[in-house]
Amino acid sequence: MNALAARFNAIFGADMAGPLAALAAVLVVFSVASPHFLTGATFGSVAFQLPELGVLTLAMLMPILTGGLNLAITFTANIAGLTLAWTLQANGGIDAGPGAFLLGSALAFAVGAASGLVMGLVIAFTRAHPILVSLSMMIFLRGLGEFLTRGGDISGFPTFIAPIGHGSILGIPVPLLILIACVIASHILLSRSKLGFSTYMIGSNIESARYSGINTRKVLVLVYMLSGVMAAVAGIIMLARFNSVRVGHGESYLLITVLACFLGGINPFGGFGRVLPVFVALIVLQLLSSGLNLLGANQHLTTAVWGILLIVVMVLRWFSAKFIRIVK
């Protein structure tokens, strides 16, 4: 048994056991509960619904690895989407060309990066708690968006944008391809770059990282800027998927991004975790949502189940850590 566990850990990593077990459990339970669960329609729905949540989770991941949090990701995504929408509206609306879209996307990324830059600077130089800083940014972005849009939607975009939210290439949804590209980029950044190494060092012990010669302020600023840029990617996907933008889009995603990170083995205090287990955890959560929908549950019950699952994950982690100490 120990040899089998050691082999599994060598191939997949110890942090993959929980997400893979949860994936197997969800597949078995819902395939028994509903004969329509293991169908192409279910997995096609998951493939189109997963990307916006997945990209937002990646935006949450790096701040958590530093021991922080970015509560402003959904409103950063919406403000970035609004920036793109306003650029398109100013250049012809539904008649806007690809140039306007590229300009608007660049401005959306800049807005996301600016949001992260402000948070990173405040956290790095004042040592204010990331929860308070990101909560303040969330409130600011929400208020700004409500003021500028008067609580309404902005819609009416060129048709060539639609494939970003609904199109497919060789049968694979375009938004899923975008998510996979973001997952690969995040994995390489965290596992193969100096910034990734510094991120883990700061999450483990920021004082030790500082004494090791790491410019912790610079790293924190970069981490929150990248988080903002990733949120902007999600904002563009949501604009294309819903064909409209408003400040409140995806508000419920905030809880789920934190849940996906913890279910994927991310240490809530920072310093440990990988991208791939988080990706598997995202698939589990989306399959759980689809399974509940097939059984007739509404979205509110699904959100409640996600909240309970977060509590269960934390309790199981506590029991697991206690069991390991007893065994040792």
Side-chain angles (χ1 to χ4, degrees), residues 32-213:
V32 172
S34 173
H36 303 292
F37 181 70
L38 294 179
T39 62
T42 298
F43 291 101
S45 174
V46 169
F48 275 105
Q49 294 175 12
L50 180 67
E52 63 211 45
L53 172 61
V55 177
L56 283 172
T57 301
L58 294 176
M60 179 66 78
L61 175 61
M62 287 190 68
I64 291 181
L65 287 175
T66 64
L69 206 65
N70 184 357
L71 297 176
I73 53 171
T74 56
F75 290 102
T76 300
N78 290 325
I79 288 293
L82 286 169
T83 301
L84 172 56
W86 287 322
T87 304
L88 292 171
Q89 291 288 331
N91 288 274
I94 59 174
D95 297 320
F101 174 74
L102 292 176
L103 174 62
S105 297
L107 292 174
F109 292 141
V111 167
S115 169
L117 174 64
V118 172
M119 287 186 288
L121 287 172
V122 174
I123 293 168
F125 285 90
T126 71
R127 300 200 182 181
H129 199 288
I131 290 180
L132 296 176
V133 176
S134 59
L135 179 62
S136 300
M137 180 58 71
M138 179 183 78
I139 295 171
F140 166 72
L141 292 176
R142 179 173 189 169
L144 179 64
E146 294 283 3
F147 170 74
L148 294 175
T149 63
R150 297 183 180 179
D153 295 3
I154 295 180
S155 58
F157 307 123
T159 55
F160 65 81
I161 295 177
I164 297 175
H166 302 281
S168 298
I169 297 177
L170 300 177
I172 304 174
V174 171
L176 182 61
L177 291 174
I178 296 173
L179 171 60
I180 292 173
C182 291
V183 167
I184 293 173
S186 297
H187 173 72
I188 293 174
L189 176 68
L190 289 172
S191 62
R192 302 294 177 88
S193 73
K194 182 179 178 181
L195 177 60
F197 173 77
S198 300
T199 298
Y200 286 113
M201 285 287 290
I202 289 174
S204 298
N205 191 315
I206 190 169
E207 293 301 326
S208 296
R210 185 177 293 113
Y211 287 128
S212 298

Side-chain angles (χ1 to χ4, degrees), residues 10-23:
I11 296 174
F12 298 103
D15 53 355
M16 281 292 282
L20 288 177
L23 177 61

